[in-house]
Amino acid sequence: MSLISRKVRRAATAVGAVSLLLSAAACSNNNSSDAHTLTMWTNVSPGPGLDYLNNTIKTFESQHSGYTIKLKTMADTDLDGALQTAMQGGASTAPDIYLQRGGGKLKAQVQAGQVADISGSLSAQAKQDIVASSYGPEQVDGKTYAVPVAIQPGGFFYSKNLFKQAGITSVPTTVAQLEAADAKLKGKGITPIAVGAKDGWPAAHWYYWFALRDCSQGVLNSTAQSLKFTDACWTKAGDDLKAFIATNPWEKGYIGIGQQGAGSSAALMANHKASMELMGGWDPGVIAGLTPNKKPLPDLSFFPMVQVPGGKGSPTATMGGVDAYSCSKWAPSVCTDFLNLLATTAQQTAYSKAFQTVPANTQSQKTVTDPLLKAETASVAKAPYVSFWLDSLYGQNVGTALNTSVVNLFTGKGTVADIISTVNAAGAKG
Amino acid sequence: MSESQVALTQESLDGARGAGAGTHVPAPVSRKARRPRASWRERLEITLLAGPAIVVFVAFVIVPVVMAVYYGFYRWTGDGPPTDWVGLQNYKLIFQDPVFFSAVKHSFAIVGLSLVIQGPLAVGLALLLNRKIRGRSIIRVLVFAPWVVSEVVAGMGWNEMLQADGALNHMLTGLHIFGTVSIDWIGDSHVAIWTLMMVLTWKYLGFAIILMMAGLQNIPEELFEAARVDGASYWQAQRYVTVPLLGPTIRIWAFLSIIGSLQLFDLVWVIWGSTSSQVAGTSTMAMYMRDNGLGSGTWGYGSAVAVVLFGISLVVAVAYQRFVLRRDLSGAITEGA
């Protein structure tokens, strides 16, 4: 063997040895937290929201000498997977404080014994000042597992200028009025409603909203246990949606259009190419990022979901998401002090300003001045109950099944009966 | 020089030496040839050189396959250890789900259409680009460029162009041949699969052409000269010389195309997404697996789907190797089979 090939072989052997050691090291645990260092995982991106969290952590650390919180932020799409894996590792890998999705996700974490029951540790303020219904998605079997920091009610986000252009003087409050408004907008060559059906869930949300009006609160909650759409209200919701779809208020080619990003339904709103979108409380922020000057759309406003004739649900009930934080089962007891800090009026007011959301704290709600947020807050205040997004309430697999069957209804490929049977079948998978 | 050649030469030398010395003793017929024992140094080298690859292969291929089989017997959301044993229930649900069969049907349609569309195009264009024509190098680069572009980037670009008011419809309208073109390339279930085939052909044709051109380079020029002397036309030379001798390349390309089509995910995911692909008829097996595992949080069911897809891909790959590639791989992986 030549000298060169021997050298190459030695080098390759050395590389092999190092790689072997590295691959062995990769299997080791690198969690460095101890009883006085708490880890916090969330999906906040750099900006006012991250500044708020850093300030809150400083406040907590000043109140709890010797304790520190290490904040870890990641993309929203990465958080759930990372969290699920970390929780599987138990105390050595699980974060102490984390963003709680609530509903079906929380239920799974409770069943796996991964999340701390904080029912007995909630402060008086957290019990009194936080909107009671916002605790709904954060409770399982009467026990509380997370503290809500904001409510993101859904509804119609619309362009006041385009409404004015079409001669619409007041916002619709019934389905009939909504259809009349759509006709006026179409008459002026304006797309009435944008829907990001490519993503599935924006179309499915339309079904959820009709279900909110057609089904009683009791049926919505009991279905979370049975995962069966057996009540007649689910079929009525499908029929009502089908009738509304027949008026075709959507943009052209909606099957290929997502909710966010360039060319999305939010982009249509941002560029005044569509006048309304039925969406969650995050929509103004998404639209703001897609306007030509990257600033909030100045004529954007809000009105609640319209009333549906013959429905058994409350005509003013609303639906939305809740931002909340939990402590993992392995977190030290001071973790709940941090959650109680998040519940205070000062913190929730600051959170609302940083994230442009409706505070869950009723005292903080009084401090909201932004007109759009005020309209959203008013819809929550008028609602006898706030339902959690049905896909989050019933679990991811039911939500995914609903997405396709509702989009099929949109395109005429599916029926209302398909929606019911698909959901019932999805429940069996997990 | 290979190890066997070295051994053979040594044996010949020994034989020659023995015969010359008149001391050669023939070995007993039944005695097996014993391989020389590797020294500790060689063993260490083998361990260190192969170790990392084996660790990675076992950790990221073997273990996940075994775990998928294990999880497939549970109803499991991925939170906490799997405890709800359901036996073959997940597999029963898979074979009762019409969405699964749609995805399988689409995947096999893509396999067939890719072969039928890309194969002849690739051979034809390779023959063209193999001739001395003006701008040949530039054309080669242009044809090959899409293959280099990442699937996600290509998908996003096509998604923009294929919108109802996107560039493709505007371009077709601008030709003033078809009037105002407003084709729903993505959403119309009669059009969508052909849209997908158009994008796939654009994306992967360059790779097929490069393979074919490499195959053409290996055909001796003398054969064409002989064909010409025998009076064969250009097309007869292609039919009776080029195509048969290009056979091994075509069969290897077809194998890669089949495997790639069965695994197709990213382009469909970016252009259609989960829901729209099902509605438009472009969903694939890989997308069904993603939707029913990661997308739905039903990890037990998703694992069972992964096992089924593994089985389908394995059967197709082994059958193809056994019945089509056998002649090309004779003496390699098919020996002793």
Side-chain angles (χ1 to χ4, degrees), chain A residues 22-112:
Chain A
L22 284 176
S23 54
C27 299
S28 69
N29 174 27
N30 63 354
N31 192 312
S32 59
S33 69
D34 55 55
H36 286 79
T37 304
L38 284 81
T39 49
M40 178 177 182
W41 286 15
T42 187
N43 62 352
V44 178
S45 30
L50 189 59
D51 295 343
Y52 158 79
L53 274 181
N54 283 325
N55 288 335
T56 306
I57 288 169
K58 276 182 197 161
T59 306
F60 174 82
E61 288 172 349
S62 67
Q63 291 171 355
H64 295 77
S65 180
Y67 284 95
T68 53
I69 294 178
K70 279 168 66 177
L71 180 65
K72 184 174 179 180
T73 62
M74 57 188 86
D76 184 63
T77 46
D78 295 340
L79 181 66
D80 290 349
L83 199 57
Q84 197 169 33
T85 308
M87 288 294 200
Q88 291 290 80
S92 60
T93 53
D96 298 300
I97 309 157
Y98 63 94
L99 184 75
Q100 177 56 257
R101 303 287 192 189
K105 193 72 213 163
L106 171 66
K107 194 176 165 189
Q109 288 173 357
V110 171
Q111 283 168 348

Side-chain angles (χ1 to χ4, degrees), chain A residues 84 88 198 255-256 413 427, chain B residues 45 75 77 80 163 270 276 279:
Chain A
Q84 197 169 33
Q88 291 290 80
K198 180 186 170 189
I255 289 291
K413 275 185 75 178
Chain B
E45 276 181 2
R75 195 169 183 263
T77 58
Q163 294 297 329
V270 175
S276 291
V279 176

